[in-house]
Amino acid sequence: MVRDRTQLAAFLRSRRDRLTPGQAGISPLPGERRVPGLRRGELAMLAGISADYYSRLEQGRQANISREVLDALAGALRLDEVERAHLYDLAAPGSPRGRSTAYRAQRPDPGLLRVISMLDHLPALVIGRRGIVLARNALFCAVYGHPMEPGTSYTRYLLLDPDARERIVDWAAAAHAAVAGLRREAARHPQDRRLRHDIAELRRADPNVARWWDDHPVGEYSSAPRRIRHPVGGDLTFDVELLVAPQVTDQHIVLYTVEPHSRTARTLPLLAAWGAEPAARVVTTENTGEP
């Protein structure tokens, strides 16, 4: 099966548009410029390939693409490591049609559950594919003021819930990073129809999401600072860390750490008592919303 090259073509065009001849270290070709960044011929010259071959790539008409060509384009476009990996995923050969492993019911990894059960003093949750919450502790719910039931889409909450915009001080940065993470996940799992449906729905629901998506941001879900404006606890400052089990790469713990003896560290025990809940909830196969 030949893979649809539409996304590869759009990604190449987006990165070509953002790189000027001066930034690329070349003199612009003569003639009127109609593009904000490099012309196709300029990028082809930088990558050492013919202009006709590159045109076929950007038009989605080139079926087979060698690793050498991809390496040359990544270097010419000055892609970082995440963008380079994204380029390779987009250019990978298609796989046979059929039920993708992405459609298996999501069950939280027992090892990650054991870890989260020991982290009741810090907000924490286990996230699976498509941003689905597989487990969370009571303190996470107390900090966010949201039940975040297992099977809930944390990505949908972050991007569409008005309370998220009020509670997360740096909401725009967090939301943009989530869209960039969705881009990477979509390239890794091109057969995941549920993921494509979710992305299309998010784009329709919010113009910010649609605009960010069309800019082709690419990022890994990664550690980042997070500031929460809590109605009872006031402003809380965290460093969000992601813990991944090597054997379960499509699940990770999201752990909100704090500086020792900080105001946030002193406030969390009060929030834990204020928002007390019997125990951490864990996802089951019945409430994932999986096919």
Side-chain angles (χ1 to χ4, degrees), residues 4-253:
D4 180 8
R5 299 299 188 195
T6 304
Q7 292 302 317
L8 172 64
F11 179 66
L12 287 171
R13 175 60 186 269
S14 72
R15 293 311 183 261
R16 179 169 65 84
D17 283 348
R18 75 177 188 180
L19 186 65
T20 66
Q23 291 170 330
I26 63 171
S27 299
L29 294 176
E32 182 182 357
R33 303 195 68 82
R34 298 179 180 177
V35 294
L38 293 174
R39 291 173 174 173
R40 288 179 179 174
E42 291 167 339
L43 177 54
M45 179 180 65
L46 278 168
I49 59 179
S50 72
D52 179 65
Y53 182 89
Y54 179 75
S55 292
R56 293 199 303 273
L57 284 178
E58 203 168 283
Q59 293 165 3
R61 297 189 292 111
Q62 182 63 38
N64 299 315
I65 311 167
S66 71
R67 182 65 177 242
E68 290 74 18
V69 167
L70 294 173
D71 287 342
L73 286 170
L77 290 168
R78 302 193 174 188
L79 303 185
D80 62 28
E81 290 185 8
V82 175
E83 291 172 322
R84 185 181 290 258
H86 186 67
L87 176 68
Y88 297 150
D89 284 340
L90 291 175
S95 57
R97 292 186 182 274
R99 185 176 177 85
S100 166
T101 55
Y103 283 93
R104 294 174 183 169
Q106 298 192 65
R107 296 180 179 87
D109 175 68
L112 297 184
L113 289 180
R114 285 193 294 271
V115 172
I116 198 175
S117 69
M118 301 172 65
L119 296 172
D120 57 350
H121 62 296
L122 293 172
L125 74 165
V126 177
I127 291 284
R129 298 185 309 272
R130 300 188 293 276
I132 297 297
V133 176
L134 301 182
R136 85 289 187 271
N137 63 16
L139 190 51
F140 185 90
C141 300
V143 166
Y144 272 88
H146 190 287
M148 211 63 70
E149 291 289 348
T152 298
S153 169
Y154 177 76
T155 303
R156 180 180 296 275
Y157 162 78
L158 174 63
L159 295 178
L160 300 184
D161 194 312
D163 186 61
R165 303 183 187 217
E166 293 295 325
R167 191 163 292 239
I168 300 173
V169 176
D170 48 349
W171 175 83
H176 187 273
V179 173
L182 282 175
R183 271 268 177 214
R184 281 297 291 126
E185 188 173 357
R188 285 195 182 101
H189 303 290
Q191 302 301 319
D192 191 338
R193 294 186 298 276
R194 177 68 177 272
L195 176 60
R196 294 200 302 271
H197 174 273
D198 290 350
I199 291 169
E201 194 173 66
L202 290 169
R203 293 175 66 191
R204 288 193 300 268
D206 188 274
N208 286 311
V209 176
R211 175 169 53 83
W212 291 331
W213 183 265
D214 291 341
D215 286 341
H216 288 264
V218 180
E220 300 282 8
Y221 296 110
S222 60
S223 304
R226 180 63 50 84
R227 294 164 55 210
I228 301 293
R229 182 175 294 116
H230 194 279
V232 175
D235 286 354
L236 307 174
T237 302
F238 300 95
D239 284 315
V240 182
E241 306 295 342
L242 271 66
L243 310 178
V244 181
Q247 69 276 17
V248 191
T249 56
D250 59 355
Q251 297 182 22
H252 53 266
I253 290 177

